[in-house]
Amino acid sequence: MEKSTIKTPLRKLTRRTTKRSWKLKQKLKLAWKSIKMRVRSHLPGFLSTKKRLTHMKSRNQEQELAQAARRICKISNDATNSLAYLLQLPKYSASDFLDRGDMMTPAASPRENISKAWRELHGSKNWENLLDPLHPWLRREITKYGEFVESVYDSLDFDPLSEFCGSCRYNRNKLFEELGLTRHGYKVTKYIYAMSHVDVPQWFLSSSLGETWSKDSNWMGFVAVSGDRESLRIGRRDIVVAWRGTVTPTEWFMDLRTSKEPFDCKSEHGKNVVKVQSGFFSIYNSKSELTRYNKESASEQTMEEVKRLVKFFKDRGEEVSLTVTGHSLGGALALMNAYEAARDVPELSGNVSVISFGAPRVGNLAFKERMNSLGVKVLRVVNKQDIVPKLPGIVWVYRHVGTQLKLDVFTSPYIKQDSDLAGCHNLEVYLHVLDGFHRKKSGFRVNARRDVASVNKSTDMLLDHLRIPECWYQVAHKGLILNKQTGRWVKPVRAPEDIPSPLSTGPRPIYSL
């Protein structure tokens, strides 16, 4: 009897200890799994294989795990919300923007070989199952094209006191080198100029000084082609046409016209003639024999170079694609450019795509239907808070074309929640939000790597505690340099190779890529 009375409490104590230990292990196991699932929800969902483009299943497992955790571990809603809040906190502070040399995290992710999947990434299936969640390969390709457009903004001389206002500060052979874009493996082959005497905002005019490099033309973009190494990675020879947009969007809103012009008189779709907005049409097609840079229109300059490149690489037996990209007004010009290329260059059949950022509506229903029949694939990247994609506002007259990737600026934990909505149209803001986008119902990716400081290049959108100055991207000393011999601040003389030349608009031979 004594033995049993002694052993019984010990057995009970042992059972209780074992039960508590088991329960504690279960709690720790579930808590750890919950943390991993929440972190993984911000990471790309393509973890099973790099060869397939199918994404993982939805978040059912995560929801079941969260319910089980609340039941067994009795985790309150406050605790769960706190965990989610901590995982979404900004990972940058002011100290992260101090120069630490090689110890700093690279601003770009490594790029995989996409040669076997390039058609789907180029829109052959209208980017089905690639946008939600956003495939990391597609994100990097979209960002690449966005950076090409941003390079036009970054190198544009729009100082009204400059005699070269409206031109590019660098010649085409060193554009990417000056802007740090040689990593993309493309070579610029031609600059594109557009007329400025048409109905466009005041900003589009050249320098207010009497003598300028051109009183009629402005630099609008370029044609580039992928080099040999990059072509092997992406699976084809990629020709890119990049169009910039407006410099000050608010002035563009005031001058936007709603009248239409026939764009393709030879083609009728149904009972309607293909028409586009008159301002976009004028910029794209205007020319004059009296000008130095626009004896050919922007359309003719671009198509001449595209045809030359296509013929050159097709004669070598290569697969060739055309990707036209643009922001704002540039997105509108990109659509018209892709329309003409698909119509007039049969060798590009099925390989013409448009990647636009914050682009307005361009044409009527006939324009949209004709674009679809030509096989042009269009991916429109749009910020929810951006007003430009809603323009022109007459929906039954103007129609959007293609597939939309919708972003939300205020999902970024680095952007002020009371930011000026005009800044939501900025291309660097687009690229920042794109880099953090994973899927519609998830927050900003914690492993986004694009440089956050770029957001404030020409805006004041970043949180104050990051201590990044507003509108920091500008020429040092506003273009003045110190003459050390005389001690005077003077305007530098442009190098002869950087002075705009009308000869640069003509065909150039293709050197080793």
Side-chain angles (χ1 to χ4, degrees):
M1 293 293 295
E2 292 180 359
K3 290 182 180 180
S4 61
T5 55
I6 293 173
K7 288 183 177 180
T8 302
L10 289 174
R11 288 177 180 175
K12 290 182 179 180
L13 182 61
T14 302
R15 289 174 181 172
R16 289 175 183 173
T17 304
T18 304
K19 188 174 182 180
R20 287 175 182 174
S21 177
W22 176 85
K23 194 172 183 180
L24 180 60
K25 288 181 180 179
Q26 293 298 317
K27 288 182 178 180
L28 292 174
K29 185 177 180 181
L30 284 168
W32 175 241
K33 284 185 177 180
S34 179
I35 291 174
K36 288 198 295 183
M37 289 294 291
R38 288 182 181 278
V39 172
R40 197 173 294 168
S41 68
H42 295 272
L43 300 177
F46 306 88
L47 305 177
S48 58
T49 176
K50 291 184 179 180
K51 295 182 179 179
R52 299 178 60 189
L53 292 175
T54 56
H55 56 79
M56 294 181 67
K57 295 182 180 180
S58 62
R59 292 169 129 189
N60 293 336
Q61 295 178 353
E62 181 187 359
Q63 294 174 356
E64 293 174 2
L65 181 61
Q67 293 175 0
R70 292 191 183 96
R71 282 199 313 269
I72 299 176
C73 303
K74 298 180 180 178
I75 298 177
S76 65
N77 289 331
D78 293 338
T80 305
N81 291 335
S82 298
L83 177 62
Y85 174 74
L86 288 173
L87 289 173
Q88 294 181 21
L89 279 178
K91 64 175 182 178
Y92 289 117
S93 63
S95 61
D96 292 307
F97 295 94
L98 299 177
D99 191 358
R100 303 182 189 279
D102 295 338
M103 300 299 293
M104 302 184 73
T105 304
S109 302
R111 297 181 298 165
E112 298 86 356
N113 187 306
I114 62 172
S115 57
K116 295 183 179 179
W118 77 265
R119 293 188 184 278
E120 292 183 50
L121 295 173
H122 206 238
S124 63
K125 297 181 180 178
N126 294 312
W127 296 279
E128 183 180 355
N129 296 328
L130 296 179
L131 300 179
D132 190 19
L134 181 60
H135 195 286
W137 296 356
L138 179 58
R139 181 190 294 109
R140 294 187 191 108
E141 290 301 293
I142 298 174
T143 302
K144 175 180 72 176
Y145 295 121
E147 289 181 347
F148 286 150
V149 180
E150 182 63 30
S151 71
V152 187
Y153 286 116
D154 291 346
S155 54
L156 176 68
D157 185 349
F158 53 88
D159 179 5
L161 300 178
S162 170
E163 62 270 31
F164 297 107
C165 181
S167 71
C168 180
R169 294 199 301 269
Y170 316 109
N171 71 71
R172 62 182 180 86
N173 293 317
K174 65 177 185 179
L175 175 66
F176 287 164
E177 181 181 353
E178 291 288 342
L179 300 178
L181 295 179
T182 54
R183 67 183 184 277
H184 290 317
Y186 283 70
K187 179 181 177 63
V188 178
T189 64
K190 189 172 186 177
Y191 277 171
I192 307 169
Y193 297 90
M195 293 285 289
S196 59
H197 70 268
V198 292
D199 292 335
V200 294
Q202 189 67 27
W203 65 265
F204 202 73
L205 299 177
S206 297
S207 172
S208 58
L209 299 176
E211 296 181 0
T212 63
W213 69 284
S214 174
K215 295 182 179 180
D216 305 288
S217 304
N218 283 279
W219 182 55
M220 286 300 298
F222 58 79
V223 182
V225 63
S226 58
D228 295 337
R229 192 171 183 178
E230 177 68 2
S231 297
L232 288 175
R233 187 189 74 84
I234 62 178
R236 83 280 188 191
R237 188 71 65 172
D238 186 34
I239 301 171
V240 173
V241 183
W243 299 88
R244 70 167 174 85
T246 58
V247 178
T248 54
T250 52
E251 295 179 4
W252 174 255
F253 301 157
M254 296 172 60
D255 289 86
L256 192 64
R257 302 290 187 265
T258 57
S259 58
K260 301 189 299 298
E261 290 280 348
F263 180 66
D264 189 355
C265 297
K266 298 179 181 179
S267 175
E268 294 187 6
H269 203 85
K271 298 180 180 179
N272 298 320
V273 177
V274 175
K275 294 183 179 181
V276 296
Q277 197 265 356
S278 59
F280 304 149
F281 178 82
S282 297
I283 295 171
Y284 188 64
N285 281 285
S286 293
K287 63 179 180 179
S288 172
E289 287 294 330
L290 301 178
T291 64
R292 295 182 65 199
Y293 298 88
N294 277 109
K295 296 184 185 301
E296 294 179 339
S297 66
S299 166
E300 291 171 341
Q301 296 169 43
T302 307
M303 291 305 301
E304 180 182 7
E305 182 68 2
V306 168
K307 290 177 180 178
R308 184 180 74 90
L309 292 172
V310 169
K311 183 180 185 306
F312 180 86
F313 291 111
K314 280 291 185 178
D315 289 346
R316 292 171 49 171
E318 297 187 31
E319 185 77 44
V320 181
S321 69
L322 173 66
T323 308
V324 194
T325 183
H327 168 247
S328 188
L329 163 67
L333 300 178
L335 279 180
M336 293 186 287
N337 188 185
Y339 181 108
E340 286 191 330
R343 182 194 64 190
D344 299 338
V345 189
E347 295 87 351
L348 288 173
S349 178
N351 290 346
V352 179
S353 293
V354 176
I355 307 292
S356 68
F357 302 85
R361 301 185 183 100
V362 178
N364 59 1
L365 178 60
F367 176 79
K368 175 181 178 179
E369 293 175 345
R370 180 62 174 153
M371 286 281 284
N372 293 335
S373 66
L374 288 171
V376 178
K377 303 299 181 181
V378 181
L379 179 61
R380 298 185 299 106
V381 185
V382 174
N383 273 336
K384 177 182 176 182
Q385 293 79 10
D386 188 1
I387 190 176
V388 174
K390 301 177 177 64
L391 298 174
I394 309 176
V395 180
W396 58 88
V397 175
Y398 294 93
R399 301 295 182 94
H400 273 307
V401 182
T403 305
Q404 176 178 277
L405 173 58
K406 193 171 186 178
L407 309 175
D408 186 348
V409 172
F410 297 130
T411 58
S412 170
Y414 310 107
I415 289 181
K416 298 173 183 176
Q417 295 300 304
D418 59 346
S419 296
D420 182 2
L421 293 182
C424 297
H425 183 61
N426 184 274
L427 180 55
E428 280 291 358
V429 175
Y430 264 88
L431 297 179
H432 168 68
V433 180
L434 173 68
D435 188 46
F437 178 80
H438 173 48
R439 63 191 312 160
K440 291 180 181 178
K441 296 183 179 180
S442 67
F444 199 83
R445 290 192 313 140
V446 296
N447 60 337
R449 304 185 71 172
R450 184 172 170 78
D451 189 5
V452 177
S454 298
V455 173
N456 267 16
K457 264 186 177 180
S458 55
T459 70
D460 185 22
M461 300 277 282
L462 290 177
L463 295 171
D464 292 334
H465 78 265
L466 296 177
R467 300 183 182 180
I468 302 298
E470 61 179 284
C471 302
W472 57 262
Y473 190 85
Q474 56 181 317
V475 179
H477 309 301
K478 294 191 175 181
L480 296 181
I481 60 172
L482 178 64
N483 186 320
K484 296 182 180 180
Q485 295 179 350
T486 63
R488 296 179 180 274
W489 286 91
V490 295
K491 279 191 172 185
V493 178
R494 271 201 187 186
E497 63 269 19
D498 292 334
I499 296 177
S501 170
L503 298 178
S504 64
T505 62
R508 293 294 184 92
I510 302 173
Y511 300 101
S512 176
L513 297 172

